[in-house]
Amino acid sequence: MIPSSPPPRLPARAGIGLRAPHYRQLLAELPDIGWLEVHSENYFGDGQPLHYLERARGHYPLSLHGVGLSLGSAQPLDRTHLARLAALVRRIEPARVSEHLSWGAIPGRHLNDLLPLPYTEEALAVVAAHVRQVQDRLGRQILVENISSYLRFRHSSLGEAQFLAALASETGCGVLLDVNNLYVSAMNHGFDPAGFLADIPPAAVGEIHLAGFDRAGELLVDTHGSRVAPPVWALYRLALRRFGRQPTLIEWDTDIPELAVLLAEAATAERLLEVHDALPA
Amino acid sequence: MLSLRELQELFAAALDAPQDAALLPLLVADRIAPGERLAVYRNNARHNGREALRAVYPVLEQLVGAEFFAAAAERYRRAHPSTSGDIHDFGRHFADFLAGLAPAAGLPYLPDMARLEWAIHEVFHAAAPPAFPLERLAAVEAAAQARLRFRVSPACRLLASPWPLRRLWQLHQPGVAWDEGFDLASGGVALLVRRSGFEVLLDALKPGEYALLRRLADGQPLGAAFAALQRTAPALDLAAFLQRHLLASTLADFSLR
């Protein structure tokens, strides 16, 4: 058997999400962006979307971002879902594979949302076992992302960042730092996002996400439906100081705008990456 | 102390029932009431279900209007909770659900339009089979041809309706102007939904052609399927049929049993 070439690493540049409305334009124009992100589940079907993804794969490194594996469910992982993810990873050879620090399934039912966990030793053991299972099945490290949350459980004994750090240390997984999620959660729960950054070991971070949020009454809600907000850009600069130059995604999933708007947001992230490089360490 | 499993069951139940207060004492209470916090997740659940259906059923939404569609989507979500982490599976039962939805009874073509949009969704995501084994077919002896059992491509769907579904669907595509001459009573249609290159195509089939494809899809051997249609579709040209559906990749493979 001829060994295949190793998948490309994600460059420490700005990337954008590849979404259906932009398939044709993006592949026709091939804009100068560092990489593309896609939701893994959109390519489970082996049909037309995968055809576009394979073409995109020829031009850009890819990051597969899962939303449905439910790493935090007390029940066993869905083996069919994991098998479909594994088949997609074999076929696409993405530079990165990631999932969320959340749960969404109970026996017999899927809630199709990224729901918050209690940050307890019990939950850590559950998530760690699932992360190990996924990494063993895929034969590679995955990144796990901090979520936006709107409530917290009284019996949590750890913070989300401490939980993520412990998870990374126990399983060897990396951290996908979503700066917008961090800002949304920090505002919703009244904690200091800088303290969160300080609790994450720098070597664990492998990708950063940026997106827009909305407001619902007194809560900020993560909608991925607008531009990155100024305080999120400020927190991003702080994150770059701690974690160094990182592959950075502009996420936009609802009310998807013209491709040019996404590219402009990516250009802003790219400028911040370059400014970061120019600053003394 | 609740186990993680118990907590997650309690959370799922609380999402369904706004008056369910069992989860609230477990949540951190601060300047924002726990009930208001939980309401964000209830709203997300409604929103995610509705958006998943809107993505698959854009013509249905135009036919009934956004408000009716949202209400139907919410009832559907409660009647058929999602069972997959892949939200693309969620709308599978929407046609049957609409068929039993009393407020939709005045629009009897809705369930068939739902079946058509689900077929388009499935065809878009379905894997294309490998190329048809033409050389193997050419080697089949004439005497054995009646025993050919064709496999219809998993990237195709057959759909028959007493309504002019194809025209109605076309009239609700982006940028297509309404046709004042459109008549809902203008008769039914038999459709082959298939993929060609980047597009999902809706091919109108003659009744005999549709019936033959349906019989082949059900696993009948070619000879018996064709003979059964001699009375109802005497003009069906078998050679032209095979040529068309080999070219269109409707037929994916065959066996001789």
Side-chain angles (χ1 to χ4, degrees):
Chain A
M1 191 175 141
I2 303 163
S4 61
S5 55
R9 289 168 49 85
L10 274 194
R13 293 187 55 194
I16 63 170
L18 174 66
R19 299 294 180 264
H22 300 142
Y23 280 158
R24 291 192 201 191
Q25 187 187 357
L26 193 120
L27 287 170
E29 297 177 2
L30 298 178
D32 177 29
I33 38 172
W35 53 284
L36 296 175
E37 173 260 12
V38 297
H39 286 174
S40 312
E41 287 80 2
N42 288 348
Y43 301 88
F44 277 6
D46 199 9
Q48 206 62 328
L50 194 63
H51 167 89
Y52 285 106
L53 188 61
E54 290 194 317
R55 287 182 54 196
R57 169 72 173 75
H59 300 285
Y60 300 100
L62 296 177
S63 183
L64 285 187
H65 191 42
V67 296
L69 197 53
S70 194
L71 291 175
S73 276
Q75 64 174 358
L77 290 181
D78 179 342
R79 288 185 171 275
T80 307
H81 197 102
L82 183 53
R84 292 164 90 184
L85 176 63
L88 182 64
V89 167
R90 267 199 311 279
R91 182 147 170 186
I92 290 296
E93 298 189 309
R96 281 293 191 187
V97 179
S98 54
E99 258 291 347
H100 294 85
L101 181 59
S102 66
W103 68 278
I106 58 170
R109 178 153 176 216
H110 215 292
L111 303 164
N112 300 113
D113 198 0
L114 305 171
L115 301 172
L117 284 163
Y119 300 120
T120 60
E121 294 297 332
E122 182 201 10
L124 181 59
V126 165
V127 181
H130 288 161
V131 167
R132 281 192 205 96
Q133 185 188 349
V134 175
Q135 293 187 144
D136 287 350
R137 184 73 168 78
L138 302 183
R140 59 189 295 161
Q141 184 199 44
I142 64 167
L143 303 179
V144 179
E145 176 184 332
N146 60 301
I147 60 164
S148 287
S149 67
Y150 314 109
L151 58 77
R152 287 179 297 169
F153 297 99
R154 291 163 61 114
H155 63 293
S156 285
S157 54
L158 300 164
E160 186 186 15
Q162 295 168 313
F163 190 98
L164 263 176
L167 183 67
S169 135
E170 282 190 22
T171 67
C173 77
V175 171
L176 195 172
L177 176 68
D178 189 312
V179 176
N180 180 61
N181 288 351
L182 171 54
Y183 181 76
V184 164
S185 293
M187 293 303 107
N188 286 343
H189 305 306
F191 68 79
D192 174 16
F196 183 105
L197 296 180
D199 280 341
I200 300 287
V205 174
E207 186 177 325
I208 288 180
H209 284 186
L210 297 169
F213 60 79
D214 278 339
R215 210 171 269 282
E218 295 203 58
L219 289 162
L220 301 188
V221 180
D222 177 39
T223 50
H224 294 182
S226 56
R227 289 177 186 274
V228 179
V232 174
W233 284 122
L235 191 55
Y236 175 55
R237 290 198 294 272
L238 200 61
L240 290 181
R241 284 225 286 280
R242 175 158 176 81
F243 302 113
R245 192 176 166 131
Q246 293 286 340
T248 301
L249 174 70
I250 301 296
E251 282 188 301
W252 205 313
D253 294 304
T254 57
D255 298 325
I256 296 175
E258 295 288 308
L259 182 59
V261 175
L262 288 188
L263 295 176
E265 291 281 273
T268 302
E270 191 104 354
R271 272 198 304 281
L272 289 174
L273 287 168
E274 281 157 16
V275 168
H276 166 78
D277 280 356
L279 294 175
Chain B
M1 178 61 61
L2 286 178
S3 70
L4 182 62
R5 178 180 291 267
E6 290 165 329
L7 179 73
Q8 291 177 342
E9 303 250 359
L10 204 60
F11 198 111
L15 286 184
D16 287 340
Q19 59 284 62
D20 184 344
L23 188 71
L24 298 183
L26 304 175
L27 306 182
V28 172
D30 52 16
R31 68 192 167 85
I32 303 171
E36 190 181 330
R37 293 179 174 279
L38 190 57
V40 176
Y41 291 98
R42 287 199 188 103
N43 192 45
N44 279 354
R46 268 196 305 277
H47 175 85
N48 293 346
R50 184 176 69 234
E51 291 303 308
L53 293 177
R54 286 184 69 210
V56 178
Y57 299 105
V59 173
L60 275 187
E61 190 184 22
Q62 293 174 64
L63 288 173
V64 300
E67 201 176 324
F68 188 103
F69 189 88
E74 178 58 9
R75 284 212 211 175
Y76 175 75
R77 189 175 71 82
R78 287 169 180 277
H80 297 272
S82 171
T83 56
S84 171
D86 178 2
I87 193 81
H88 294 95
D89 292 338
F90 174 55
R92 180 174 301 280
H93 309 289
F94 202 41
D96 291 341
F97 169 80
L98 288 174
L101 187 67
L107 303 175
Y109 48 89
L110 283 187
D112 277 358
M113 184 57 79
R115 286 182 191 103
L116 175 59
E117 293 203 282
W118 184 254
I120 292 169
H121 172 69
E122 284 197 314
V123 164
F124 185 71
H125 285 279
F132 188 94
L134 284 172
E135 289 180 16
R136 199 152 59 76
L137 182 66
V140 173
E141 290 176 22
Q145 285 173 359
R147 288 190 289 116
L148 285 170
R149 285 177 203 265
F150 285 97
R151 188 167 74 92
V152 172
S153 167
C156 288
R157 293 291 179 279
L158 290 165
L159 186 81
S161 169
W163 305 98
L165 216 51
R166 181 169 178 249
R167 184 72 186 130
L168 188 59
W169 183 87
Q170 285 166 341
L171 287 172
H172 288 87
Q173 295 312 297
V176 177
W178 182 251
D179 173 5
E180 292 300 334
F182 175 71
D183 179 7
L184 252 182
S186 59
V189 68
L191 293 175
L192 170 66
V193 184
R194 67 182 178 99
R195 219 166 54 213
S196 173
F198 294 104
E199 307 287 343
V200 174
L201 302 180
L202 312 184
D203 292 350
L205 301 179
K206 295 199 178 87
E209 191 178 15
Y210 175 85
L212 183 52
L213 271 178
R214 173 61 74 194
R215 283 169 183 272
L216 297 183
D218 290 344
Q220 290 189 15
L222 182 63
F226 186 64
L229 295 169
Q230 281 309 295
R231 200 169 47 78
T232 51
L236 187 59
D237 177 343
L238 186 57
F241 171 92
L242 288 175
Q243 187 176 40
R244 173 174 178 183
H245 291 292
L246 288 170
L247 279 173
S249 303
T250 321
L251 303 176
D253 199 356
F254 71 92
S255 63
L256 274 171
R257 275 186 290 122

